[in-house]
Amino acid sequence: MATITDVAKEANVSVATVSRVLNKKNSVKPETVERVQKAIEKLSFEPNMSARNLRRNETRVILIIAPNITNPYYSHILAGIGDAANESKYSALIYNTSGDIAREKAGLEMLKKKRADGAILLANGMNSTWIQEYSKEYPIVQCSEYALKLDIPRISIDNYKAATDVMNYVIGLGHKRIATISSSNNYVSTALRLQGYLDSLKCHDLEIHKEYISMASVDYSFKSGKSCAYELLQQKYRPTAIFCISDILALGAITAASELGIRVPEDLTVIGFDDVDNTTMFHPYITTIAQPCYELGKESFRILNACMNDEKGINKKIVLPHKFIIRESSAPISI
Amino acid sequence: MATITDVAKEANVSVATVSRVLNKKNSVKPETVERVQKAIEKLSFEPNMSARNLRRNETRVILIIAPNITNPYYSHILAGIGDAANESKYSALIYNTSGDIAREKAGLEMLKKKRADGAILLANGMNSTWIQEYSKEYPIVQCSEYALKLDIPRISIDNYKAATDVMNYVIGLGHKRIATISSSNNYVSTALRLQGYLDSLKCHDLEIHKEYISMASVDYSFKSGKSCAYELLQQKYRPTAIFCISDILALGAITAASELGIRVPEDLTVIGFDDVDNTTMFHPYITTIAQPCYELGKESFRILNACMNDEKGINKKIVLPHKFIIRESSAPISI
DNA sequence: ATGAAAGCGCTAACAG
DNA sequence: CTGTTAGCGCTTTCAT
């Protein structure tokens, strides 16, 4: 592997000049530049990043801490981050934690070890003080989920607004017995959507029924959506609408309904959330809130990049617009 | 940020000794070790990777070149690679190329730049000579897809065998008019599955009909599976079985059948491939070949790691077992 | 068992 | 415009 010294010799210049050419400083005579470039070509030289990083004290690598890259919601965000990073000549080191705190820690440790310049956190289980501490020393942004009390940059949609959008629509359709399939995880998104559900009900003078609030598994699985819906729909006064906090859950609910002989949307309105999972693969196509996952990822990188460049006046709390998409799984109340 | 020198001062030893403690050389007096560890703790020192990498001439980073991390087939492989890498204290740098050759190149360049020690290629569009060249200088393994003629380590299932497994089963069910939905991409997996289809037919003295061989889009989309199935099923002598080279395609085919009033599996047998995409979310559950994606990923890392350690006698062509899973979308011929 | 010192490949200040 | 040189933080001989 050729080094900068080899190139310098080959081109009959000093290493400093080669370095200048490498870094496009314009204080080099054009003909010298050319000679150096020929030497670089000839030796097929590529600068050693470890050396450069050591010297420059940066890595041009960002860290992504993700709970589960297998989840399409996250993988789309990842794609967005990756593309944005790439445009700015950054590489992405991905830590798939599977919710394992030890791996989250190991991941963030990479910041201390100078293996990465900054990190993007996609939903993490770390207790707040931990992150806060890191955030003081290193550029960190939270994407999609975040610690409510912490003053760390974050990018997300307005989950509360999205939930009230859904509820206003459903209530506008004439529904009064509206259930929700939420989850027992501790994400802000979940809490805010539930709050939106509750507040909307209150706001429209509709009663809140404990029996209409169902908690799915923390991973929003199809199965658990289905079983939640089963319980919901087998009550004496069964709901005429179900607001699910994920599409997979909605898919499960629709399946449960179909197995119980309840038609969607004629007898039951089902609303999803995210618009990533096959919402238009089977009929009824699902009415849902679409999140701009890819953009969420891109924006996360943009903010992180701004932080890494110590830019002032960065908006620390970015809210990206969601879209409410009405499709086939919702309809005015019929009874 | 504390450096090794700070620690040395704090512990009243030389940097060499600190380094020895860091690297667990056993030639340090236990009490000295303790003193050093206390200093490390106190200063919350973490070794600078750039410096270590430069000195050791390694990075403990591997590169993953993937066409589309959003595709669940790949994301599961990625998860496997990530976990295996993690166990061996490697980090994974993921390059999502979107099929863009320039990005593949940029990715592999990281090897030259010493940002990574080795690479795993998941389906790539590079022309063979390119990869071959890299492979001579750096540890590279191909996962799942590979260049047939190249002598570069690879991990995959036996696609040909899998296809003949499917065909033997379908033929055993009494089907004679068997179609396939393949793709116009140029993956070995596609070619081998098609070959398995053709050879099985020949082997059982069944005629090969051009009209029964349909080419879906290169990305195996649901839509294209559906439209292929439409064409297939609207022929005069329509097939009674369709072997699809992906589950999404099979899902599309089933949807097409249902829209045409053709029952699956009573009137039509549909077989999928991969077993990653919602094969058991809707009825009929899909009969399919399950690929050990996660294991494919893990094994890829194992082989790469062996290559990086210059281990001799590594099996360069690993074939992992697939599983044929019979579910609801297939049945004996009824007519 | 420990320390001194060289040097990995690069960048950047300084000098000319 | 170009060269000389001092490190960046670490590992690793070579002494002692």
Side-chain angles (χ1 to χ4, degrees):
Chain A
M1 201 72 287
T3 74
I4 201 173
T5 316
D6 301 329
V7 176
K9 277 182 196 145
E10 175 73 27
N12 253 302
V13 293
S14 72
V15 292
T17 300
V18 178
S19 176
R20 285 185 191 108
V21 173
L22 248 29
N23 297 291
K24 309 209 196 310
K25 313 269 187 203
N26 41 12
S27 62
V28 185
K29 212 197 300 179
E31 49 198 66
T32 313
V33 171
E34 198 170 335
R35 218 169 54 233
V36 171
Q37 270 162 351
K38 263 203 191 105
I40 290 177
E41 192 92 349
K42 181 173 173 192
L43 304 175
S44 75
F45 161 84
E46 293 279 349
N48 179 318
M49 286 304 163
S50 297
R52 174 178 286 176
N53 294 344
L54 174 60
R55 186 54 230 246
R56 293 219 261 225
N57 197 29
E58 67 159 24
T59 63
R60 287 262 142 192
V61 169
I62 61 158
L63 212 62
I64 305 176
I65 313 273
N68 178 12
I69 57 173
T70 267
N71 180 325
Y73 176 73
Y74 293 121
S75 70
H76 281 91
I77 293 180
L78 251 52
I81 298 175
D83 286 354
N86 189 255
E87 278 170 30
S88 299
K89 307 279 176 224
Y90 273 85
S91 298
L93 210 49
I94 299 186
Y95 267 75
N96 192 213
T97 65
S98 312
D100 179 356
I101 304 265
R103 281 182 76 170
E104 282 184 14
K105 263 187 160 177
L108 281 184
E109 214 94 288
M110 292 301 150
L111 254 20
K112 282 198 192 170
K113 291 189 204 292
K114 298 245 172 248
R115 208 201 250 326
D117 298 336
I120 295 176
L121 267 39
L122 302 185
N124 65 296
M126 281 193 160
N127 78 57
S128 311
T129 59
W130 239 106
I131 315 177
Q132 187 73 292
E133 212 168 284
Y134 269 101
S135 176
K136 264 182 251 156
E137 297 216 51
Y138 309 98
I140 288 184
V141 334
Q142 307 167 101
C143 180
S144 146
E145 300 292 345
Y146 52 91
L148 207 40
K149 320 159 211 164
L150 262 41
D151 189 35
I152 300 174
R154 57 176 161 87
I155 291 83
S156 69
I157 61 161
D158 184 339
N159 284 285
Y160 182 81
K161 176 69 165 50
T164 58
D165 284 355
V166 168
M167 292 301 287
N168 285 336
Y169 165 73
V170 174
I171 293 169
L173 250 28
H175 292 274
K176 305 219 179 302
R177 300 208 303 269
I178 306 167
T180 186
I181 299 182
S182 184
S183 167
S184 48
N185 62 35
N186 54 6
Y187 292 153
V188 249
S189 66
T190 305
L192 290 173
R193 290 173 203 175
L194 184 59
Q195 199 56 53
Y197 164 82
L198 295 170
D199 290 359
S200 293
L201 248 28
K202 225 177 281 175
C203 187
H204 289 267
D205 289 321
L206 293 170
E207 249 178 280
I208 292 167
H209 291 291
K210 253 201 346 277
E211 308 77 44
Y212 284 179
I213 301 173
S214 186
M215 292 297 180
S217 65
V218 292
D219 61 347
Y220 305 157
S221 74
F222 174 80
K223 219 170 151 180
S224 97
K226 194 167 152 185
S227 77
C228 283
Y230 255 98
E231 282 196 25
L232 248 22
L233 296 172
Q234 286 178 317
Q235 299 177 43
K236 190 169 173 195
Y237 295 103
R238 62 171 165 83
T240 62
I242 305 179
F243 167 34
C244 305
I245 62 164
S246 100
D247 294 325
I248 285 281
L249 254 23
L251 243 22
I254 291 173
T255 302
S258 128
E259 291 182 13
L260 288 167
I262 298 171
R263 294 166 306 163
V264 177
E266 294 84 351
D267 307 328
L268 178 71
T269 279
V270 175
I271 314 280
F273 210 109
D274 290 345
D275 198 34
V276 291
D277 292 295
N278 330 317
T279 44
T280 60
M281 203 173 255
F282 297 97
H283 295 284
Y285 287 0
I286 300 177
T287 293
T288 192
I289 293 282
Q291 286 207 50
C293 298
Y294 185 82
E295 272 308 324
L296 242 18
K298 278 208 142 185
E299 189 64 22
S300 296
F301 177 80
R302 264 181 236 127
I303 300 300
L304 182 65
N305 201 18
C307 292
M308 292 188 301
N309 295 328
D310 284 320
E311 285 173 25
K312 300 297 172 198
I314 311 161
N315 181 355
K316 305 280 194 175
K317 309 214 147 49
I318 307 273
V319 174
L320 257 38
H322 57 266
K323 231 184 284 178
F324 186 35
I325 304 182
I326 298 174
R327 290 201 273 241
E328 304 170 350
S329 65
S330 56
I333 190 154
S334 58
I335 322 162
Chain B
M1 201 72 284
T3 73
I4 202 174
T5 315
D6 301 329
V7 176
K9 276 182 196 145
E10 176 73 27
N12 253 300
V13 293
S14 72
V15 293
T17 300
V18 177
S19 176
R20 286 186 190 107
V21 173
L22 248 30
N23 297 291
K24 308 206 197 310
K25 312 269 187 204
N26 41 13
S27 62
V28 185
K29 214 196 299 177
E31 49 198 66
T32 313
V33 171
E34 200 170 334
R35 220 169 54 229
V36 171
Q37 269 162 351
K38 262 200 193 107
I40 291 177
E41 193 92 350
K42 182 173 173 192
L43 305 176
S44 76
F45 161 84
E46 293 277 350
N48 179 318
M49 286 304 164
S50 297
R52 174 176 286 179
N53 295 343
L54 174 58
R55 188 53 232 246
R56 294 220 262 231
N57 198 29
E58 67 157 25
T59 64
R60 287 261 142 192
V61 169
I62 62 157
L63 212 63
I64 305 176
I65 314 272
N68 178 11
I69 58 173
T70 266
N71 180 325
Y73 176 72
Y74 293 122
S75 71
H76 281 89
I77 293 180
L78 252 55
I81 298 175
D83 286 354
N86 190 256
E87 279 169 28
S88 299
K89 308 280 176 221
Y90 273 86
S91 298
L93 210 50
I94 299 185
Y95 268 74
N96 192 213
T97 64
S98 313
D100 178 355
I101 303 264
R103 281 182 78 172
E104 282 184 13
K105 262 186 160 179
L108 282 184
E109 214 94 288
M110 292 301 151
L111 255 19
K112 281 197 192 172
K113 291 189 203 293
K114 298 246 170 243
R115 208 201 251 324
D117 298 336
I120 296 176
L121 267 39
L122 302 184
N124 66 297
M126 282 195 159
N127 77 58
S128 313
T129 60
W130 241 105
I131 317 176
Q132 187 72 294
E133 214 168 283
Y134 269 100
S135 177
K136 264 182 250 156
E137 297 216 51
Y138 309 98
I140 288 184
V141 334
Q142 306 166 102
C143 180
S144 146
E145 299 293 345
Y146 52 91
L148 205 41
K149 319 158 212 165
L150 262 42
D151 190 34
I152 299 174
R154 57 175 160 89
I155 292 84
S156 70
I157 61 161
D158 184 339
N159 284 286
Y160 182 81
K161 175 71 164 51
T164 58
D165 283 355
V166 168
M167 291 301 287
N168 285 337
Y169 164 75
V170 174
I171 293 170
L173 251 28
H175 292 275
K176 305 217 180 301
R177 300 209 303 269
I178 307 167
T180 186
I181 299 181
S182 184
S183 167
S184 47
N185 63 34
N186 54 7
Y187 292 153
V188 249
S189 66
T190 306
L192 289 173
R193 291 173 203 174
L194 184 58
Q195 200 55 53
Y197 163 83
L198 296 171
D199 289 359
S200 294
L201 248 27
K202 226 177 281 177
C203 188
H204 289 267
D205 289 322
L206 293 170
E207 249 180 281
I208 292 167
H209 292 290
K210 255 203 342 279
E211 309 77 44
Y212 284 178
I213 300 174
S214 186
M215 293 297 178
S217 65
V218 292
D219 61 347
Y220 305 157
S221 74
F222 175 80
K223 219 170 150 180
S224 96
K226 194 167 151 184
S227 77
C228 283
Y230 254 98
E231 283 196 26
L232 248 20
L233 296 172
Q234 287 178 317
Q235 299 179 42
K236 188 169 176 197
Y237 295 103
R238 63 172 163 82
T240 61
I242 305 179
F243 167 35
C244 306
I245 62 164
S246 100
D247 294 325
I248 286 282
L249 254 22
L251 244 23
I254 291 173
T255 303
S258 126
E259 291 183 13
L260 288 168
I262 298 173
R263 295 166 305 163
V264 176
E266 294 84 349
D267 307 329
L268 177 71
T269 279
V270 175
I271 315 280
F273 209 109
D274 290 345
D275 197 35
V276 292
D277 292 295
N278 330 316
T279 45
T280 59
M281 202 174 254
F282 297 97
H283 294 283
Y285 288 180
I286 300 176
T287 294
T288 193
I289 292 282
Q291 286 208 51
C293 298
Y294 185 81
E295 273 306 325
L296 242 19
K298 279 209 142 184
E299 189 63 22
S300 296
F301 178 78
R302 264 181 235 128
I303 301 300
L304 182 64
N305 201 17
C307 293
M308 292 189 301
N309 294 328
D310 283 321
E311 287 174 24
K312 300 298 171 197
I314 312 160
N315 180 356
K316 303 281 193 174
K317 310 211 148 49
I318 306 275
V319 173
L320 258 38
H322 58 266
K323 231 183 285 178
F324 186 35
I325 303 182
I326 298 174
R327 291 200 273 241
E328 303 169 351
S329 66
S330 56
I333 191 154
S334 58
I335 323 162

